[in-house]
């Protein structure tokens, strides 16, 4: 399992690094003005639907169902099951795409009502979203193929696919002068990347298992079981995405640049979520599904506990850095071209608010895996809906005084509510046990985070006098923070946890 985690995490890290290169280009070319806000709305809409219906609900229901059919009934039954789900999925996505194209002005009035006061910005947002929306159909098929490959213990191509989004956008941004606006260039890059990702996954699956084909629709036991799990999973996946929808809607009423600040802060926040949380959760779900199908419930629980430990080990440094030195990070990465120092400060403050909820963000996918692996997608919905209620209520309460920072803070509190309820339900049903040893580990993780945060604060505070007025002062400060923070954190982990704990964690 560890090898597969590093495979997924490694490709996801490469995706995030190329994503930062893409965002540096976006910041320099688009800045944080009206065109940038219009593009980010066009990017967010298909991404929200993707996260709900593709990587969220569909993946949560599809991987355990396909693993169960494959393990219990054999490859032929699994292939027929995949053919039927593929046929239904493609048909539903085509209907959604046509509806989105036809009713985009009405959808924009609901999802970005603040743009109604600026006719040009609204028109641009509609035009860009019509370009990006077909990306959803392509990425949904990518998710179907990726889930099948994951059950076959093949993780590399699905993990690497998102790299194409960054590469394609950088290519189109590099020739932005050939497009009506830089927003158009970025939007076409999104669509082109969807085709690139599709052909990568389709090629891998064709070589190792065969692509799903059209099949007569029949609601047999397996298909009914899939849809029985898909409905609650959709509601559960909507939790975070509805909160982000609310961010988009509310931010359109805030001053220009608020949406951009949310975007750049969220992009950094997504680094550990993708590289750590999603990577580990992606590997953990088929692993737990396989063990539970084999009636190895103790093994499934041990796998989940190891996933929790790995997640905390790698995510604590990000929490410490994002809360302690967010402005330094934003200035070093994005403060150039059209992206000003003031924009960096606004995005940094927003990042610090998001980081308060980073631990539950990275843990939630592994936490719900114990329910999804048992084909129980209903229980996490209860936690998710409670979390979103808290989230949206706080957004309304905090947006006036804290602007986009309040939106990010509400998201953090909402996801904490979600995680704590999921853990409560898991413990109550005997799927998870918090023994004394693991509670001690949680305390040690907290202490290592505090030590690291103090070290980062000291390095950032004194770097000004060390570096003087050198030309690349912000970049040099970030390098010092990275090197110094790595050394301090490694020493803190070795002292507090010991070499034996690390060896046992790796060896299982």
């Amino acid at each position: 399992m560890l090898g597969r985690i590093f495979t997924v995490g490694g490709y996801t890290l490469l995706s995030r690094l190329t994503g930062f290169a893409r965002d540096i280009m976006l910041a320099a070319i688009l800045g944080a003005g009206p065109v940038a806000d219009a593009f980010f709305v066009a990017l967010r809409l298909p991404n929200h639907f993707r996260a709900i219906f593709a990587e969220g609900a569909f993946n949560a229901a599809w991987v355990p169902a396909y693993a169960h059919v494959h393990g219990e009934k054999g490859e032929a039954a699994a292939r027929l099951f995949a053919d039927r789900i593929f046929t239904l999925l493609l048909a539903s996505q085509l209907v959604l795409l046509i509806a989105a194209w036809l009713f985009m002005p009405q959808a924009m009035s609901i999802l970005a009502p603040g743009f109604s006061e600026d006719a040009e910005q609204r028109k641009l947002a509609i035009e860009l979203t019509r370009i990006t929306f077909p990306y959803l159909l392509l990425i949904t098929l990518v998710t179907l193929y990726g889930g099948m490959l994951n059950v076959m213990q093949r993780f590399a191509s699905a993990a690497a696919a998102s790299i194409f989004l960054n590469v394609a956008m950088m290519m189109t941004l590099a020739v932005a002068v050939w497009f009506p606006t830089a927003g158009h260039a970025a939007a076409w890059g999104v669509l082109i990347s969807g085709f690139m990702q599709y052909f990568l996954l389709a090629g891998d699956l064709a070589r190792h298992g065969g692509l799903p084909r059209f099949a007569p629709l029949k609601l047999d036991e397996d298909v009914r079981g899939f849809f029985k799990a898909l409905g609650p999973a959709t509601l559960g996946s909507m939790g975070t995405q509805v909160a982000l929808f609310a961010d988009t809607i509310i931010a359109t009423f805030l001053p220009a640049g608020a949406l951009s600040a949310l975007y750049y802060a969220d992009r950094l926040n997504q680094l550990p979520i993708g590289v750590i949380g999603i990577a580990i959760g992606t590997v953990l779900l088929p692993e737990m599904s396989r063990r539970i199908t084999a009636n190895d419930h103790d093994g499934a629980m041990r796998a989940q506990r190891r996933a929790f430990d790995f997640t905390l080990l790698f995510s604590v440094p990000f929490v410490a850095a994002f809360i302690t030195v967010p402005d330094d990070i934003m200035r070093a990465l994005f403060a150039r071209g059209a992206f000003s120092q003031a924009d960096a400060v606004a995005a940094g403050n927003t990042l610090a608010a998001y980081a308060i909820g980073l631990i539950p963000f990275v843990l939630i996918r592994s936490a719900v895996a114990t329910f999804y692996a048992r084909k129980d997608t209903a229980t996490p919905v209860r936690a998710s809906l409670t979390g979103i209620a808290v989230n949206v209520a706080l957004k309304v309460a905090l947006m006036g005084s804290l602007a986009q920072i309040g939106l990010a803070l509400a998201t953090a509190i909402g996801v904490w509510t979600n995680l704590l309820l999921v853990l409560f339900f898991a413990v109550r049903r005997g799927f998870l046990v918090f023994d004394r040893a693991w509670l001690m580990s949680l305390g040690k993780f907290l202490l290592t985070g505090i030590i690291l945060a103090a070290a980062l604060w000291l390095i950032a505070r004194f770097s000004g006098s060390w570096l003087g007025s050198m030309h690349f002062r912000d970049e040099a400060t970030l390098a010092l923070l990275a090197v110094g923070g790595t050394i301090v954190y490694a020493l803190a982990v070795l002292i507090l946890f010991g070499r034996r704990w690390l060896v046992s964690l790796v060896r299982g």
Side-chain angles (χ1 to χ4, degrees), residues 185-446:
W188 280 107
V190 172
L191 179 57
I192 292 169
S193 78
F195 285 99
M196 296 170 70
Q197 293 179 66
Y198 172 82
F199 287 118
L200 173 67
L201 270 293
D204 193 3
L205 186 59
R207 287 192 303 273
H208 296 96
L211 289 172
R213 295 173 292 183
F214 291 105
L217 300 181
K218 181 181 179 181
L219 294 177
D220 58 13
E221 179 185 356
D222 296 326
V223 174
R224 288 197 304 271
F226 168 75
F227 280 106
K228 184 178 179 181
L230 181 63
T234 300
L235 290 175
S237 297
M238 286 177 65
T240 301
Q241 297 308 310
V242 168
L244 293 173
F245 265 130
D247 282 350
T248 302
I249 293 170
I250 295 171
T252 59
F253 290 102
L254 297 175
L259 264 170
S260 301
L262 282 168
Y263 171 80
Y264 289 110
D266 183 59
R267 286 295 301 158
L268 274 175
N269 199 48
Q270 288 295 325
L271 173 63
I273 294 174
V275 175
I276 303 167
I278 293 178
I280 293 176
T282 297
V283 174
L284 179 64
L285 181 55
E287 176 75 13
M288 292 190 73
S289 299
R290 180 181 63 81
R291 289 180 180 272
I292 289 171
T293 299
N295 207 31
D296 182 13
H297 294 276
D298 289 339
M301 186 183 298
R302 287 195 302 271
Q304 186 180 41
R305 286 280 296 274
R306 286 184 72 204
F308 283 171
D309 283 338
F310 275 118
T311 301
L312 291 172
L313 178 66
F314 293 123
S315 60
V316 165
F318 290 96
V319 178
F322 290 169
I323 291 178
T324 309
V325 290
D327 293 354
D328 299 271
I329 297 172
M330 284 293 177
R331 284 198 304 270
L333 291 177
F334 301 123
R336 57 185 57 83
F339 198 84
S340 67
Q341 294 284 336
D343 295 331
V345 171
N349 292 336
T350 309
L351 174 62
Y354 270 135
I356 294 173
L358 184 54
I359 291 297
F361 265 126
V362 293
L363 279 178
I364 191 65
R365 191 146 176 169
S366 295
V368 299
T370 189
F371 295 101
Y372 290 160
R374 293 173 170 87
K375 299 184 180 179
D376 177 6
T377 55
T379 300
V381 171
R382 297 160 60 190
S384 179
L385 293 180
T386 303
I388 189 174
V390 172
N391 190 339
V392 174
L394 287 174
K395 288 183 191 302
V396 175
L398 297 175
M399 63 169 287
S401 57
L402 297 175
Q404 82 278 355
I405 299 172
L407 303 182
L409 184 60
T411 299
I413 297 173
V415 74
W416 267 114
T417 304
N418 187 3
L419 176 67
L420 292 176
L421 285 174
V422 168
L423 294 178
F424 170 75
F425 293 143
V427 170
R428 188 173 66 176
R429 293 177 60 175
F431 298 161
L432 184 65
V433 177
F434 286 99
D435 56 23
R436 183 175 180 276
W438 203 63
L439 291 175
M440 287 288 292
S441 291
L442 292 179
K444 291 177 181 178
F445 278 123
L446 177 61

Side-chain angles (χ1 to χ4, degrees), residues 54-55 58-67 70 82 139-155 157-159 201 205 282 285-286 365:
E55 296 175 356
F58 181 82
N59 203 49
W62 169 244
V63 171
Y66 185 74
H70 195 276
I139 213 66
T140 302
L141 295 178
V142 165
T143 303
L144 172 73
Y145 298 165
M148 296 174 67
L149 288 166
N150 288 352
V151 172
M152 300 172 193
Q153 305 298 316
R154 296 188 60 83
F155 294 89
S157 58
L201 270 293
L205 186 59
T282 297
L285 181 55
R365 191 146 176 169

